[in-house]
Amino acid sequence: MKIETVATRPFTDQKLGTSGLRKRVPVFQQAGYLENFVQSIFDVCPDLAGGTLVVGGDGRYYNREAIQVILRMAAANGVIRVLVGRGGLLSTPAVSCLIRKYKTQGGIVLSASHNPGGPDGDFGIKYNTANGGPAPEGITDALYRRTLEIDRYRTLATPDLDLEQLGPVSLGAMTVEVVDPVRDYADLMEHLFDFKAIHELFNSGLFSMRFDAMHAITGPYAEEILVRRLGAPCDVLLNCQPKPDFGGGHPDPNLVHAHEIVAMTKGEHPVSFAAASDGDGDRNMILGRNMFVTPSDSLAIMAANAHHIKGYHRGVVGVARSMPTSQAVDRVAEALGIECYETPTGWKFFGNLLDAGRITLCGEESFGSGSDHVREKDGLWAVLFWLNLLALKHQSVLQIVTEHWRRFGRNFYTRHDYEGVDAQAAEGLVTHLRGLLPGLPGRALGAYQVAYADDFAYQDPVDGSRSEHQGIRIGFSDGSRIVFRLSGTGTVGATLRVYLEAYEPDPARHFLDTQEVMGPLLTVAQELAQIEAHVGRAAPDVIT
Ligand code: VG1
Ligand code: CO
């Protein structure tokens, strides 16, 4: 089959954010836009020629078209074999699982994760390397540089492939293997968790659960794992049919966007346990009866209990959290006598620590947790971890969490997001804060004493690479913290994130309302950053 070389001109806006390249669908639909980016991947990663690639996406609008483009370009660029999920579907953690299991050279995930989809929604593309994880900054920087000079891409003139039938199909000299998107991932979960104990829990008559896939990718995964393998009743599953526009919703599992499932844990007949996942299946929200488990607490509780779980019975060698994530897990690490790493936001920074065997578990405040089983955060994995814990402990979510607080103290935590603000105004706010940093240590702000204040930088302990300007961090003498950061996943304007954390050792105060506890710290944050004066907003759009 004849390889076509098509002349193209660079687009200047293909810089990757926290997690891949995300743009509005019409941007991706411009002639050459997707092709330029994909060709840049092949140009920057020469080992893909002659190798195997995994490709799949979360099923959002433009997923099907994009996969066909990528398959043709892969064949034209000398890839020997591509594993693609049936219907072009694969969750982000399942891509990571396949890369590792079949030792492929890399993988491409089509998703804008928790961002809304549809013809006017967002689309995205991420590249993962041979370890199964998001490409590290060395590669994403090279990719961006390549997109600025690209002048041609390679493709084939072939009709679309049928991706609905399992099995191999030829595309030029390349083989496209259409695989079951769920099986290998479900097998890995069965290897890590005690499915027998969870099966018994579901059939005990004492336990009820709901899982909300938010019309995104985890629907088929939840059906296979929770219902078929674990014997849960079908009414466990909510919104489990993946839809190109996520049913018009925002596939972000938080208290605001997943309110439907939150309501099921309250009222007259609350379920015992509820959970939700995001667009591409790497996030999780954990809820118990009248109980929301913050992702930061969830990570700490997992770390403290991992040795009870089959796949982690040897214990945890170390943990890591992103910088804005609460320090709850630090306290567990200290008690266990293991290392706790603080990394910049984004899963790519955990890869080296996981590969080097320095950590077993890691997580982010943004509803992400995971372990060394893959190199991505993993939504259903976290749900199964909790189910396994509930099955073993015969306790409620509330009991597990409060017991944890009693032992380690509680890190009250909240994040306030100001979405879609003017990008220059947001930069102005950060510049203003940077200017204040040198004068802050030792100063009193409200009732708080500043212990340190910096613009967070990270030196990777494995490869020595340095990442600067990862967020403004202000720590107080009582362990409280305020963090300011601009989002790197949005597609319109800027999103300012303000993260607040306060430590409370006294169990008598563990049931206070989070927003009330945070009141004084929030005032300090607002006054220091002059939020309203800079971005013109008196209140945030989303509070979690
Ligand atoms: C957000 C989160 C970050 C997460 C990233 C990707 O990034 O804060 O913790 O890793 O999304 O998650 P930002 O730059 O917008 O704050 V996902 O599930 O959207 O791939
Ligand atoms: Co995601």
Side-chain angles (χ1 to χ4, degrees):
M1 208 160 290
K2 196 173 162 293
I3 294 168
E4 294 189 354
T5 301
V6 182
T8 189
R9 270 199 306 215
F11 293 87
T12 53
D13 64 346
Q14 298 195 323
K15 190 170 170 48
L16 293 86
T18 312
S19 174
L21 179 70
R22 290 185 198 185
K23 300 285 173 199
R24 285 274 143 111
V25 167
V27 174
F28 267 103
Q29 285 169 326
Q30 298 172 85
Y33 194 88
L34 174 67
E35 289 84 348
N36 277 14
F37 190 78
V38 172
Q39 184 62 52
S40 300
I41 296 176
F42 290 120
D43 291 347
V44 165
C45 306
D47 51 341
L48 290 175
T52 302
L53 185 67
V54 178
V55 182
D58 64 7
R60 69 177 58 223
Y61 189 85
Y62 204 53
N63 194 69
R64 285 175 178 276
E65 292 84 343
I67 291 227
Q68 299 288 346
V69 169
I70 293 168
L71 291 177
R72 286 186 198 103
M73 291 185 64
N77 278 282
V79 173
I80 301 273
R81 193 163 157 251
V82 173
L83 307 179
V84 54
R86 185 178 44 224
L89 298 180
L90 278 174
S91 75
T92 288
V95 168
S96 190
C97 164
L98 290 177
I99 295 174
R100 295 172 67 76
K101 184 164 179 177
Y102 298 106
K103 303 196 167 35
T104 79
Q105 277 62 44
I108 292 177
V109 190
L110 300 170
S111 173
S113 191
H114 57 286
N115 298 17
D120 301 313
D122 287 347
F123 191 74
I125 176 165
K126 311 188 263 189
Y127 180 64
N128 284 26
T129 48
N131 72 344
E137 281 199 322
I139 292 182
T140 57
D141 290 347
L143 241 171
Y144 175 52
R145 283 197 301 274
R146 182 65 199 147
T147 65
L148 295 175
E149 8 175 274
I150 192 152
D151 58 4
R152 54 95 192 97
Y153 64 84
R154 292 192 202 95
T155 188
L156 301 181
T158 50
D160 282 359
L161 291 185
D162 174 10
L163 301 179
E164 297 304 324
Q165 306 304 322
L166 294 181
V169 217
S170 294
L171 181 60
M174 183 177 89
T175 305
V176 176
E177 188 84 42
V178 181
V179 300
D180 179 335
V182 178
R183 200 192 58 215
D184 292 294
Y185 176 82
D187 289 349
L188 176 59
M189 294 302 114
E190 200 159 349
H191 172 76
L192 293 174
F193 300 110
D194 185 346
F195 272 32
K196 192 166 163 281
I198 302 174
H199 199 286
E200 278 164 19
L201 177 70
F202 275 126
N203 290 283
S204 64
L206 302 168
F207 180 78
S208 55
M209 173 183 176
R210 295 287 180 277
F211 175 77
D212 190 350
M214 306 190 85
H215 288 304
I217 191 66
T218 48
Y221 293 83
E223 199 180 331
E224 168 67 18
I225 295 171
L226 298 178
V227 176
R228 280 198 218 107
R229 298 201 186 190
L230 290 168
C234 286
D235 66 2
V236 157
L237 307 176
L238 283 181
N239 305 322
C240 277
Q241 181 69 38
K243 294 190 179 167
D245 67 346
F246 307 119
H250 199 141
D252 194 352
N254 61 36
L255 295 174
V256 176
H257 297 304
H259 55 88
E260 189 185 350
I261 195 139
V262 176
M264 292 178 179
T265 61
K266 298 178 179 167
E268 247 180 82
H269 302 290
V271 294
S272 337
F273 180 62
S277 192
D278 70 331
D280 61 331
D282 57 359
R283 295 189 178 204
N284 72 89
M285 177 168 67
I286 300 293
L287 301 156
R289 187 168 289 167
N290 293 311
M291 181 78 206
F292 160 61
V293 187
T294 70
S296 296
D297 277 349
S298 180
L299 174 64
I301 291 166
M302 285 177 173
N305 290 286
H307 58 283
H308 296 305
I309 306 282
K310 184 169 87 171
Y312 305 93
H313 70 274
R314 282 198 211 91
V316 172
V317 293
V319 290
R321 61 164 171 82
S322 68
M323 182 273 278
T325 303
S326 101
Q327 300 163 97
V329 73
D330 302 37
R331 297 182 182 276
V332 176
E334 203 187 334
L336 295 176
I338 57 174
E339 202 67 46
C340 176
Y341 299 88
E342 183 175 43
T343 58
T345 295
W347 211 261
K348 57 179 175 268
F349 294 102
F350 294 132
N352 278 346
L353 297 170
L354 289 163
D355 285 350
R358 294 204 189 196
I359 59 170
T360 308
L361 298 177
C362 45
E364 297 190 277
E365 51 64 44
S366 53
F367 298 84
S369 31
S371 85
D372 55 4
H373 70 291
V374 288
R375 292 295 179 273
E376 287 279 5
K377 57 185 185 273
D378 190 344
L380 270 169
W381 169 87
V383 175
L384 291 167
F385 197 114
W386 270 92
L387 274 171
N388 202 155
L389 216 51
L390 294 169
L392 294 181
K393 292 198 157 220
H394 303 289
Q395 284 179 311
S396 68
V397 173
L398 181 72
Q399 283 169 325
I400 291 177
V401 174
T402 48
E403 216 168 74
H404 184 89
W405 289 341
R406 219 173 298 130
R407 182 166 166 213
F408 295 98
R410 176 172 181 188
N411 289 69
F412 279 96
Y413 190 80
T414 187
R415 183 176 107 181
H416 290 208
D417 294 328
Y418 299 77
E419 294 181 343
V421 301
D422 180 75
Q424 253 183 328
E427 283 296 342
L429 180 146
V430 173
T431 309
H432 158 76
L433 282 170
R434 275 194 194 120
L436 294 179
L437 288 174
L440 286 181
R443 236 181 87 182
L445 298 175
Y448 304 90
Q449 188 83 25
V450 179
Y452 62 88
D454 63 8
D455 188 355
F456 182 61
Y458 176 68
Q459 174 133 11
D460 186 299
V462 180
D463 68 12
S465 59
R466 230 181 128 70
S467 304
E468 317 254 357
H469 308 303
Q470 298 294 326
I472 303 288
R473 189 172 66 152
I474 300 166
F476 300 96
S477 55
D478 65 351
S480 315
R481 286 196 317 168
I482 303 175
V483 172
F484 299 91
R485 235 192 106 245
L486 299 185
S487 157
T489 57
T491 54
V492 193
T495 291
L496 168 68
R497 304 201 196 283
V498 183
Y499 311 79
L500 304 171
E501 171 180 6
Y503 180 64
E504 180 55 72
D506 179 5
R509 295 176 54 83
H510 283 169
F511 289 92
L512 296 178
D513 176 72
T514 298
Q515 298 306 319
E516 256 166 55
V517 171
M518 293 306 189
L521 205 55
L522 180 61
T523 307
V524 168
Q526 282 167 336
E527 283 174 5
L528 194 69
Q530 294 286 303
I531 297 178
E532 193 172 352
H534 276 104
V535 301
R537 299 275 178 85
D541 301 274
V542 178
I543 296 181
T544 39

